[in-house]
Every structure is written in C-alpha cells, then in structure tokens.
Amino acid sequence: MMKRSVLNPSNAAAIQAELMSRNPEVFEEQEKTVREILTAVRRDGDCALLEYTEKFDGVVLTPDTLYVSEEEIEEAYKNVNPELPEILRKALVNIRAHHEREKRNSWFATGDDGVLLGEKITAMDRVGVYVPGGKAAYPSSVLMNIVPAKTAGVREIIMTTPCRRDGTIDPGVLVAAHEAGADRIIKAGGAQAIAALAYGTETIPKVDKIVGPGNIYVALAKKAVFGIVSIDSVAGPSEILVLADHTADPRFVAADLLSQAEHDEMASAVLVTTSEKLADEVEAHISEFVSRLSRKEIMTASLEQYGHILIAESIDQAIELANAFAPEHMEIQTENPLETMTRIRHAGAIFLGPYSSEPLGDYFAGPNHVLPTSGTARFFSPLGVDDFIKRSSVISYSREALEKIHTDIETFARCEQLTAHANSVAVRFE
C-alpha cells in the first residue's frame, strides 16, 4: 500500500519533489474565480457576500441572519455529545497555559545622557478566524486559532464558517467557538468570507489579520488579500514523518501514520527507519488497521499516492532526510528520542517517544496544532501569540546625547544624498 525503498540521495530528492508537488503554484481557473469574488465583495459588500453564499452553499441569508445568535449557540450545546464541552474546557486549560508562556512584554533600556530605547508590544485590534465546513468539522482548530489571539490581547475575534443548507452550523464548532471566546460568528465561507473580512462590508468590520485553514479558494483568497490584511500562511495538505529505529513499537507507528493519512487524499505519511524488521511489521499493521477503520478510501488513496517507507543505512542518514523534509509533524521513536531531537533543525512539531502520539498535539497537550507544511518549517513556526502582536520601536534622545553624534548622522545622510535628513538633525544645533 505504501511505497517502500532503500534510502539514497537520488530517491530522497525525488520523494521530496513528489511531496512538494501537492502544492502546485498555479491554479489559473480558481484564481480567476477568486479575483471575481474579491472584486464583487469589495464593491458590493453584503449584497455580494449573500449572493455568493446562496450560490455556493445553497442557503438564503439576510444581514439580520448573517451572524449566529445566542439562541443558536444555546441550541448547539443541546445537540453535541454531552461530554464535549467539558473535554473542550480541559483542553483549553492546557492550550491557554502554553500560550501564556509565549507572551512577551514591552521593554525599555536607558543609557547615559538621557538615551531611552525599547519596544512597545501591542496586540492587534481585530482578527478574523476562518473555520472550514467541508468533509469534516474541526472544533480543535477553533481552539487553536482563537486562544493565541485572545492570549495576545486581541480586542475582537470574528469567526466565519460556512453553514449547512438549513442555515445551521456544526454544533461542535459553535460550542468550541463559544468556549474559546469568539466575539462574533458569521455564517459564511469560501473566498467571499475572506473578502468580507479583508475589506469589510456594511455588517462585517474589516479585520487586521485572517487565520485558519480552508480549501483552495480560501487559500488563494487569503494569498490575494495579503498586504491589505495580514494572514497566517497558505497551508498545504497535512503530513507526518515518523523517525524510528528497532526499538519502536510497529503497532504504534502504523497507527500514527494513519492518523494523518485519514485527513484527505493529499495527506502524506512517511516512515524513515533503520530497521527492515520494523518496516515489515508496520506494513502488516497498516493493512490491519485500514481494514477496520472508517475513512478507508481516503487513507488508502493517501498512502498509495504519498505514503513512503524508507530504509536508512544509519540514524545519521535518517536524521539528514528528516531535516531535508522539514515535516509538519515529526515523531521520534528511537532508543533515545531526546538525544535524537537535539539534532533536528526543521519541523513544525516534534513528538518524543512511544506515548507522544501526534493526536496528543492536535487536541490536548497545549502547543498549537496550526503548523507549517510542505517544507516551510525551514522558515515558519507554529501559530502563536507572536502572530497577533506588533512591535513598535521606541527612541528617545536628549539634546546632550544627540549633540555627541549629530555630525555623524548628517554625514551619513549626505552620503545617501538625503540633504533634508541631514538638515533635520543640523537645525537643532545651529
């Protein structure tokens, strides 16, 4: 079911290229549609948003019914698994605690002659959180996108998600949004919802940043409005790389690979191991699990297209490949996972040992599960509090302090032929 090969530089590069191909850069037809939608919503506001919502989601809304009401939230609590609210609250304790540790404070440093330098940390005023409503509902993603924004001190969080044809939203998503602290919830999805958040409409205020995953139209819309607003990233399909040696439990490894393969047909699951025996046993357990788990067709398609078992000659070679892939999720199931982890340079989230299964990070541990995909862990980080703040430099010089260096500044400015810059300093000492 998964492709199996002995690792060498040639096939490693080919596999890496194959995985990158899941995110083609050109979607000409979709980009044309997205541009039309963005233009219409920017020009016509609510009218265009409601028209596209009827066209794509099959539901007729009005400005008065665009937002989720308190009554709808109360109804959602009646329609979810009765255990879910308490589980969400337990998860929120861990997620909030983790993100509290990420908070940074303004700082100021004073020097001789009346010099004061520093940084002022300020949260964004308003953030939009997009929640998809396609093949599955993800209350966990609601928590992971809202909590760091709330922790940073964002004043208002507006969540938007497509509603069903009867005008309702998945109750689990609504309960999660309420528990996490969303201020308003909009019943709209797709590129039209992104446009409404980016430009503002008669009933939806413009936001400063848009976060959250979505389909290709949502991703292209976010990409297009970047610069008008900030965005988190343009996320690709999910992926996991398990780095394992002979000490790993093959049943655990097989289960963890499938935990990502079930997301969608484009998801990638890769095992890199130094043990052929482990590889054999993992393959057997995968077949066993797939035969009795739901979403069998999705897992099978994912594994056949983008699933790999790679046999490395040494742990050094395995680590080299793991760093080259820079996966979204990396599990380390080796004899000494902590020591192995110190040699990992590029990964979105790292899970150590046999009892740190990837879903632990998805739901409960606390670190954010919104992670860089498609090798972007080489330069991107998990979503966090820093994504919802801005840093303002603070500079204050006394006359005495400026007098010591004013001729240097004036000379520097004239070297760049910016005489007004030089004059701005010089006039203070005429």
Side-chain angles (χ1 to χ4, degrees), residues 67-74 185 187:
Y67 285 101
V68 171
S69 66
E70 290 185 9
E71 291 75 21
E72 287 173 292
I73 293 174
E74 291 173 5
I185 304 169
K187 302 176 183 177

Side-chain angles (χ1 to χ4, degrees), residues 114-426:
V115 173
L116 183 148
L117 301 173
E119 283 188 340
K120 186 176 184 295
I121 305 297
T122 312
M124 296 176 182
D125 287 337
R126 183 181 293 120
V127 165
V129 173
Y130 187 91
V131 177
K135 294 180 179 178
Y138 297 108
S140 59
S141 285
V142 176
L143 307 186
M144 294 294 183
N145 281 279
I146 291 177
V147 169
K150 295 288 284 189
T151 304
V154 173
R155 293 181 177 181
E156 184 178 23
I157 297 173
I158 301 177
M159 190 182 98
T160 188
T161 186
C163 62
R164 298 179 286 207
R165 289 185 177 272
D166 62 359
T168 63
I169 291 172
D170 178 85
V173 167
L174 279 186
V175 170
H178 185 258
E179 293 290 337
D183 296 292
R184 288 191 267 182
I185 304 169
I186 302 167
K187 302 176 183 177
Q192 62 270 23
I194 299 299
L197 292 172
Y199 303 125
T201 71
E202 296 88 336
T203 58
I204 298 173
K206 182 184 186 301
V207 302
D208 301 313
K209 184 165 190 167
I210 301 172
V211 299
N215 63 19
I216 185 59
Y217 294 97
V218 170
L220 290 173
K222 286 172 66 179
K223 189 175 179 181
V225 299
F226 177 63
I228 297 167
V229 295
S230 177
I231 64 171
D232 50 353
S233 65
V234 180
S238 190
E239 60 205 27
I240 185 171
L241 184 148
V242 179
L243 182 60
D245 62 15
H246 66 283
T247 65
D249 186 313
R251 191 171 176 83
F252 293 178
V253 173
D256 296 352
L257 291 168
L258 291 176
S259 73
Q260 292 309 291
E262 77 169 339
H263 269 297
D264 62 63
E265 296 86 348
M266 299 288 283
S268 169
V270 176
L271 168 62
V272 184
T273 181
T274 53
S275 169
E276 288 199 40
K277 181 174 182 291
L278 178 76
D280 293 338
E281 293 172 342
V282 167
E283 284 186 297
H285 286 303
I286 282 177
S287 296
E288 172 206 339
F289 285 136
V290 168
S291 68
R292 60 183 176 84
L293 292 171
S294 63
R295 299 171 74 86
K296 177 179 179 180
E297 292 76 14
I298 291 174
M299 287 188 288
T300 299
S302 167
L303 294 176
E304 288 179 349
Q305 294 180 90
Y306 303 110
H308 289 274
I309 295 177
L310 302 173
I311 313 297
E313 293 179 357
S314 65
I315 194 66
D316 291 342
Q317 187 188 37
I319 290 171
E320 183 180 355
L321 176 76
N323 279 321
F325 276 23
E328 177 188 18
H329 306 96
M330 181 186 295
E331 287 190 5
I332 301 177
Q333 299 195 34
T334 58
E335 190 167 11
N336 189 338
L338 192 60
E339 190 279 330
T340 304
M341 182 272 293
T342 64
R343 300 172 61 190
I344 297 301
R345 293 175 50 79
H346 310 301
I350 304 171
F351 300 80
L352 302 180
Y355 295 98
S356 303
S357 176
E358 187 278 334
L360 174 67
D362 276 351
Y363 297 114
F364 223 78
N368 209 290
H369 79 197
V370 180
L371 303 167
T373 60
S374 304
T376 60
R378 292 190 305 276
F379 45 82
F380 282 145
S381 303
L383 190 71
V385 171
D386 278 356
D387 291 286
F388 300 98
I389 63 164
K390 306 102 60 212
R391 297 177 296 114
S392 300
S393 299
V394 177
I395 302 166
S396 176
Y397 266 55
S398 66
R399 187 185 195 283
E400 182 183 1
L402 184 61
E403 187 172 18
K404 292 179 180 179
I405 60 170
H406 77 92
T407 56
D408 292 334
I409 298 171
E410 292 162 26
T411 302
F412 208 153
R414 292 189 188 101
C415 286
E416 294 187 347
Q417 301 182 34
L418 298 175
T419 55
H421 277 61
N423 184 63
S424 173
V425 176

